[in-house]
Amino acid sequence: MKLYPNLILEALSKVRYPGTGKNIVEMNMIEDDMRIDGNKVTFSIVFDKPNDPFVKSIIKASETAILTYVSNDVDIKGNITAKAKQILRSEPEKLLSNVKNIVAVSSGKGGVGKSTVAANLAVALARLGYKVGLLDADIYGPSMPKMFNEEEARPYMEEIDGRELIMPVEKYGVKLLSIGFFVDKENALVWRGTMASNALKQLIADAYWGDLDYFFLDLPPGTSDIHLTLVQTLAVTGVIVVTTPQEVALADARKGINMFTGEKINVPVLGLVENMAYFTPAELPENKYYIFGKDGGKKLAEELNVPLLGQIPIVQSICEAGDSGKPVALNESSLTGLAFKNLAHNVVNQIDLRNKTMAPTQRVEIKKNKNG
Ligand code: ADP
């Protein structure tokens, strides 16, 4: 049979929300994100609170209503997402109102060290005395739990001003949340775009970030729904793009920068970080070997007229520190610690300059379609 949204909504109108005498359709609980693909139906149900006691039973009842009143061939089990209403439905301007600067860390390609740079930059700034938050929004490959040696962390909820909020983990002076704290990697990998976007919104809106000077978001590589969700959710102060000096990485970094500066998104680029800029053996710290080519990132920064914020060497200890959960930025006297400290200073200066010379970023408005 051919499925269409009204058929599904009619079935859902048989599901009442306990204690109200009303059904979930008239209560406007069905989000307008319904997708129908053959006999597969996906959509979200919006609840007032993330811990609504009826989430499970309403989802179950909705599945049953669709299978009963539409057809038992409908592929619906597990396809309904629960969303909390307070996610940005109310006054998005107030979101993160005590956060001074929201900085996205992005890369054109995976594996260039974006997460390593984000983690070390956050730690370096915390050590300089700033209040720093870090959200691992690399929803398909969260690596922060490992880099911060917090793989077992399970953040708890606390009631603040009448709202149940997720408390970030505090480590090395950084407030940290990662989707990796809530789902295992395999599960996150199969998430559809909307689920990943909702998870991101929840980690932004339903967490207690408090006062922060810098709030970093480690984005997935490339361009994705997550990027769009982010710029629609928050007024991003600026983006830092991480690249390696290789040609392929530079080409992708160029695309990434163009996406951010394009008319649709229009987020200022704070600058470029050239990671793995040269190889330095630990025993000969003065020697530099440009194994991926010299100054690729620097040249790209010049070409695109964006600042080069730092050149980070490729050093075994950076990789080992990432694996052992102790970022090298914790040790400021090391060559690598120093590189990240310099980067942190440049980022502070660049953000100051940006704030003095440019108007605050506007959130990207979600354009409703004709039916929306
Ligand atoms: P991305 O977030 O871009 O996918 P990661 O930060 O996860 O990349 O880094 C990929 C791998 O490269 C990790 O094993 C990391 O430890 C290593 N790495 C990143 N930067 C450096 C560096 N400057 N020197 C040595 N190893 C690095």
Side-chain angles (χ1 to χ4, degrees):
M1 88 187 283
K2 173 124 181 66
L3 297 176
Y4 53 95
N6 275 349
L7 216 56
I8 305 293
L9 289 174
E10 217 175 292
L12 292 171
S13 69
K14 310 277 198 248
V15 180
R16 281 166 189 259
Y17 187 90
T20 62
K22 289 188 185 162
N23 72 62
I24 58 174
V25 177
E26 62 185 324
M27 287 177 72
N28 284 326
M29 290 173 66
I30 310 303
E31 184 72 304
D32 58 0
D33 62 353
M34 191 178 293
R35 291 236 177 110
I36 297 179
D37 184 9
N39 66 343
K40 181 172 181 177
V41 177
T42 53
F43 62 90
S44 316
I45 301 183
V46 183
F47 292 86
D48 272 350
K49 287 190 284 176
N51 58 346
D52 186 297
F54 300 114
V55 171
K56 276 198 181 137
S57 45
I58 295 276
I59 287 183
K60 182 87 188 88
S62 302
E63 289 174 356
T64 309
I66 291 167
L67 296 173
T68 310
Y69 296 105
V70 182
S71 153
N72 60 7
D73 288 341
V74 181
D75 173 6
I76 185 67
K77 286 251 158 78
N79 296 347
I80 303 178
T81 309
K83 268 197 199 171
K85 196 174 200 164
Q86 53 217 37
I87 304 179
L88 321 174
R89 300 199 142 220
S90 55
E91 307 172 83
E93 288 69 27
K94 283 206 177 146
L95 262 187
L96 302 187
S97 53
N98 296 326
V99 173
K100 291 189 188 133
N101 298 291
I102 299 170
V103 181
V105 183
S106 181
S107 70
K109 228 164 101 47
V112 299
K114 169 183 53 62
S115 302
T116 304
V117 169
N120 280 288
L121 179 57
V123 169
L125 283 165
R127 292 184 75 83
L128 290 173
Y130 294 103
K131 295 192 189 110
V132 182
L134 174 58
L135 173 52
D136 182 2
D138 194 345
I139 246 143
Y140 301 103
S143 48
M144 291 306 168
K146 185 166 190 176
M147 290 193 183
F148 279 76
N149 197 18
E150 284 289 342
E151 281 174 288
E152 303 308 318
R154 294 290 171 268
Y156 57 92
M157 309 277 286
E158 209 173 293
E159 189 168 326
I160 289 162
D161 296 335
R163 290 182 59 202
E164 286 278 326
L165 295 177
I166 307 166
M167 303 306 284
V169 168
E170 294 217 37
K171 190 72 181 272
Y172 309 134
V174 175
K175 286 187 185 168
L176 175 69
L177 276 182
S178 166
I179 195 70
F181 292 150
F182 304 93
V183 287
D184 53 46
K185 255 189 176 160
E186 288 68 36
N187 277 344
L189 279 174
V190 297
W191 279 10
R192 290 177 302 273
T194 40
M195 279 172 81
S197 293
N198 285 338
L200 174 64
K201 287 191 213 166
Q202 213 151 10
L203 292 179
I204 293 170
D206 295 340
Y208 185 60
W209 289 105
D211 289 335
L212 294 179
D213 295 306
Y214 301 101
F215 180 48
F216 290 98
L217 292 113
D218 182 20
L219 295 179
T223 54
S224 69
D225 284 357
I226 292 291
H227 294 72
L228 280 177
T229 304
L230 173 64
V231 294
Q232 288 168 345
T233 307
L234 295 174
V236 178
T237 311
V239 57
I240 294 174
V241 178
V242 181
T243 184
T244 58
Q246 289 138 302
E247 273 306 322
V248 270
L250 293 170
D252 287 338
R254 190 182 281 118
K255 269 190 233 156
I257 290 178
N258 289 339
M259 171 188 71
F260 279 106
T261 51
E263 228 174 273
K264 227 166 109 194
I265 291 191
N266 205 7
V267 170
V269 174
L270 297 168
L272 202 62
V273 177
E274 184 177 330
N275 187 33
M276 310 192 194
Y278 49 88
F279 169 70
T280 293
E283 57 282 5
L284 292 167
E286 303 80 37
N287 289 20
K288 294 181 177 179
Y289 301 95
Y290 296 91
I291 48 181
F292 294 143
K294 191 163 186 251
D295 287 338
K298 192 171 169 202
K299 286 178 196 147
L300 181 65
E302 281 162 11
E303 172 199 319
L304 297 178
N305 201 17
V306 297
L308 180 71
L309 297 167
Q311 289 179 301
I312 310 289
I314 176 163
V315 188
Q316 182 64 15
S317 63
I318 295 186
C319 190
E320 287 165 3
D323 287 345
S324 67
K326 288 203 181 79
V328 289
L330 289 169
N331 181 0
E332 285 133 28
S333 57
S334 66
L335 177 82
T336 47
L338 208 62
F340 283 113
K341 192 174 173 181
N342 283 339
L343 173 65
H345 280 299
N346 288 344
V347 168
V348 169
N349 292 339
Q350 202 52 46
I351 292 177
D352 278 351
L353 184 69
R354 180 250 173 271
N355 290 341
K356 277 187 199 129
T357 54
M358 295 169 87
T361 310
Q362 301 293 315
R363 266 188 322 121
V364 175
E365 289 295 333
I366 306 165
K367 291 221 171 50
K368 286 269 182 191
N369 60 25
K370 275 185 282 188
N371 310 317

